[in-house]
Amino acid sequence: MITLDFVYLLAGLVFAAWAVLSAMDAANPRRWINAGFWGLLAFSFTFGDRLTDFANGLLVVALVILGGIGLGQGQPKTTTPTERAASAERLGAKLFIPALIIPVTALLGTLVLAKIEIGGTPLFDPDDPTLIALGLGVLLAVGVGMALIRPPLMAPVQEGRRLMDAVGWAAILPQMLAALGAVFALAGVGEVVGGLVADTIPMNGPLIGVVTYCLGMALFTIIMGNAFAAFPVMTAAIALPFLIGQFEGDVAIVCAIGMLAGFCGTLMTPMAANFNVVPANLLELPDRNRMLNGVIRAQIPTALIMLVANMALMYFLAF
């Protein structure tokens, strides 16, 4: 049976390759910082489940220190911009094939492959079929891309390193904030927020609960920078006791649309550095150093419209 451990191992091997290549990149003045950063991530993905909580905590602190020092931009040995432009012109729309393979494989893995059994044993771990299929889709996409483009053998790893060096520490920000949200939930922050909400807002019906939950998800995401951090706190504070417990709303709909409401907050905050700050830097926007750069300002109207739409959908579908 294929389990999620294989996906973690695959990710760990990729991070390990970046660490080795970074250490060998003499053109990067901070190559050892990059090597240490990606190396620690590789160790975490490969052996994290065998470490104690304290050891994993020390690993996270080390990552924060290296990220705070700052990663450098490597100079990977890969195709030139001219070669990439020529390849794109030659292939045209075929370039989208590898990108489309990933979501299609994830969908098929969830709906079809997850039900396949060999000798009575499921092919995929029934607890994580989507993530396992996603990893399989990435491998298939890389193989098809190599066959189509025919780049140098190490091009996928080197191009990945080039992109991750450009993104830097913000690449792992979602995981860090999601972990922080879990810590807040275990610390009882959700219960405290729920008590404040109950004392302040009269929960007379599902509509006021829906508005409070969706607004809370968006606002807490704006503060935290990630909906995964806001979700455990706001769900424990509002969704579980009121929308689901008191008003008997549909659990799946409430939680799914609640996450979408949180994503609306993601579009409106510089705290979501990997979504809003990194793109502005990569595009070299003239206002990229402003708190509300051009990317965020362009997204705010859409985010507000979608937030209202999510409230309406949750109310009419879940109750």
Side-chain angles (χ1 to χ4, degrees):
M1 181 173 61
I2 302 175
T3 67
L4 195 59
D5 291 340
F6 291 95
V7 179
Y8 282 118
L9 178 60
L10 174 63
L13 292 175
V14 173
F15 284 125
W18 291 344
V20 173
L21 292 172
S22 295
M24 298 170 58
D25 190 352
N28 183 359
R30 297 191 174 185
R31 58 175 176 158
W32 296 114
I33 296 177
N34 287 39
F37 189 84
W38 303 127
L40 286 174
L41 274 178
F43 192 82
S44 174
F45 273 81
T46 307
F47 303 107
D49 59 339
R50 303 178 188 178
L51 301 177
T52 64
D53 292 341
F54 181 73
N56 275 308
L58 291 178
L59 192 151
V60 170
V61 171
L63 284 172
V64 171
I65 292 173
L66 291 176
I69 295 173
L71 277 64
Q73 180 66 56
Q75 300 294 327
K77 296 178 181 178
T78 182
T79 53
T80 65
T82 302
E83 290 173 334
R84 289 195 290 270
S87 177
E89 185 176 354
R90 174 174 58 86
L91 294 171
K94 292 181 180 178
L95 284 173
F96 290 100
I97 294 177
L100 292 174
I101 286 175
I102 298 175
V104 170
T105 306
L107 181 63
L108 289 176
T110 303
L111 300 179
V112 180
L113 298 180
K115 301 177 182 179
I116 297 177
E117 295 185 355
I118 300 177
T121 301
L123 178 62
F124 287 174
D125 185 344
D127 292 333
D128 301 292
T130 303
L131 291 176
I132 296 171
L134 180 65
L136 178 61
V138 171
L139 289 177
L140 290 174
V142 171
V144 172
M146 293 290 287
L148 278 175
I149 304 173
R150 298 177 183 175
L153 183 61
M154 291 297 293
V157 178
Q158 293 282 27
E159 285 292 341
R161 180 169 72 94
R162 180 179 63 84
L163 178 61
M164 293 298 281
D165 281 353
V167 175
W169 59 266
I172 65 170
L173 190 59
Q175 291 87 345
M176 289 287 194
L177 292 175
L180 182 60
V183 171
F184 279 3
L186 291 173
V189 175
E191 287 77 4
V192 174
V193 174
L196 293 174
V197 170
D199 293 339
T200 307
I201 303 174
M203 291 293 177
N204 299 324
L207 179 59
I208 187 66
V210 166
V211 173
T212 303
Y213 180 46
C214 290
L215 283 177
M217 278 294 300
L219 291 174
F220 203 78
T221 300
I222 288 174
I223 295 172
M224 298 296 297
N226 192 290
F228 292 103
F231 182 76
V233 175
M234 299 310 300
T235 300
I238 302 172
L240 291 178
F242 299 112
L243 296 181
I244 297 170
Q246 182 175 339
F247 302 123
E248 300 181 347
D250 185 282
V251 176
I253 294 175
V254 168
C255 293
I257 298 180
M259 282 295 294
L260 293 177
F263 294 152
C264 294
T266 302
L267 296 175
M268 297 187 286
T269 175
M271 292 299 293
N274 53 323
F275 293 106
N276 301 332
V277 176
V278 170
N281 289 333
L282 293 177
L283 294 171
E284 297 183 352
L285 298 182
D287 63 347
R288 57 185 178 273
N289 293 323
R290 292 178 58 183
M291 180 172 292
L292 296 180
N293 59 46
V295 171
I296 298 174
R297 293 201 306 276
Q299 293 174 164
I300 287 177
T302 301
L304 293 175
I305 293 172
M306 292 304 300
L307 181 58
V308 174
N310 286 327
M311 294 178 188
L313 282 173
M314 185 182 295
Y315 180 72
F316 287 111
L317 294 179
F319 300 95

